Amino acid sequence: MVGSLAAFVLLALLAVTVTAQGGGTLFGDRHLLEWSLAHRPDLAVTLARAVTHTGTGFVPYALVALAGLLLGRTARQRILAAAACLVCLVAAQAVRFSLMALLSRPRPATAHWATDAGHWSFPSGHTTTSAVTAGLLVLAVLIRAPRGRHVIAAAVGCWGLLVGLTRVYLGVHWFSDVVGGWLFGVWWLGLAAYGVARFAPDVCAEVLRGDGSGVRGVLLPGIPGPGSGSESTRGKVEVASASDCGAPPPSAALPGVECHVRAAEVDRIPLPSERDVSQR
């Protein structure tokens, strides 16, 4: 919640600054645009277009649904988690689009564009979408991936960053638009996580349990004697013969546990082969 609040404050300050400048450029905006215009070989532009197109359309929603499927542990949980992740992304899009319309910041001149773009500029839509998508997918990977989770999470995070940077490189956004999209994504993800932890703690605890490969029970060391040779069926316990009774090792000894067969032999008390435990 603290990270979400900090991102919201920075986003609000950036939005106020953009408004005060009348939609003009801020720190590094002109310099980075001029640098991108001077460094645009055909191969780099093609790769940038390929990356930037993954930040919108079908791909983010498919990745978000995948994150939900990974988070769930049963079929029902997977469906609910996928639906919740999709709602999180759709709601973020609605709030982001409202903010864009409210600020109405113009984009760079169309002469500098190396790809198609539409609507207003701040915050960057592709950047916001990829940031929210990457955040949800990184969370799912860190919780559920059996191995290589940190490498996969780093690759997904780099994808989210690259989508934003390609918007500046292709000349359709100012760098401050991209920063605003990143801040929006951090704020929204933190807010969503706080909402789940606050209003659905059981769901949050279930998700944070991980892949379920942890300890499910405590196995006590085996103790030779009646317990090691006993067989339980419908409330009856068959006790091993006296010859199978041996002294337990020191590491396996438990308080109050003794060899009843040996005690019965010493006291010359006949011991029945079976005892009906259900009568006790």
Side-chain angles (χ1 to χ4, degrees):
M1 189 58 187
V2 174
S4 176
L5 182 60
F8 177 78
V9 171
L10 293 175
L11 177 63
L13 291 176
L14 186 58
V16 170
T17 305
V18 169
T19 304
Q21 293 289 334
T25 58
L26 301 180
F27 50 89
D29 285 343
R30 290 286 180 183
H31 176 74
L32 289 175
L33 178 61
E34 293 173 357
W35 181 91
S36 67
L37 292 175
H39 300 81
R40 280 187 179 175
D42 294 338
L43 179 59
V45 171
T46 301
L47 292 175
R49 287 173 178 168
V51 173
T52 202
H53 288 328
T54 62
T56 187
F58 172 77
V59 174
Y61 291 94
L63 293 177
V64 164
L66 176 61
L69 294 177
L70 291 176
L71 286 173
R73 302 177 65 182
T74 64
R76 180 175 179 274
Q77 290 177 356
R78 291 188 182 100
I79 294 174
L80 292 177
C85 290
L86 288 172
V87 169
C88 178
L89 181 57
V90 171
Q93 296 283 44
V95 176
R96 186 264 308 171
F97 189 82
S98 301
L99 182 60
M100 290 180 68
L102 179 64
L103 298 179
S104 301
R105 186 186 193 186
R107 294 177 181 270
T110 56
H112 305 321
W113 293 8
T115 188
D116 297 331
H119 304 293
W120 301 104
S121 187
F122 183 91
S124 168
H126 284 65
T127 304
T128 302
T129 303
S130 61
V132 174
T133 302
L136 292 174
L137 194 55
V138 164
L139 175 64
V141 167
L142 290 179
I143 293 178
R144 297 296 185 207
R147 59 180 62 88
R149 62 186 63 185
H150 297 292
V151 176
I152 300 174
V156 173
C158 290
W159 167 77
L161 293 175
L162 284 176
V163 171
L165 294 177
T166 57
R167 305 306 288 169
V168 179
Y169 182 76
L170 296 174
V172 293
H173 274 292
W174 304 109
F175 180 66
S176 53
D177 299 332
V178 173
V179 173
W182 288 335
L183 291 174
F184 187 101
V186 173
W187 164 63
W188 191 259
L189 289 172
L191 186 64
Y194 174 78
V196 173
R198 177 67 176 82
F199 299 104
D202 295 338
V203 175
C204 184
E206 179 69 19
V207 169
L208 293 179
R209 285 179 185 176
D211 57 1
S213 60
V215 178
R216 296 187 178 183
V218 179
L219 297 179
L220 297 178
I223 301 176
S228 62
S230 63
E231 179 180 358
S232 175
T233 305
R234 296 185 179 180
K236 295 183 178 181
V237 178
E238 183 178 353
V239 182
S241 60
S243 60
D244 295 331
C245 180
S251 61
L254 296 176
V257 177
E258 59 180 333
C259 183
H260 297 287
V261 177
R262 179 167 294 177
E265 183 181 357
V266 173
D267 295 338
R268 301 178 182 275
I269 299 176
L271 183 66
S273 59
E274 291 186 354
R275 293 180 182 178
D276 191 354
V277 180
S278 61
Q279 295 179 359
R280 299 183 59 181

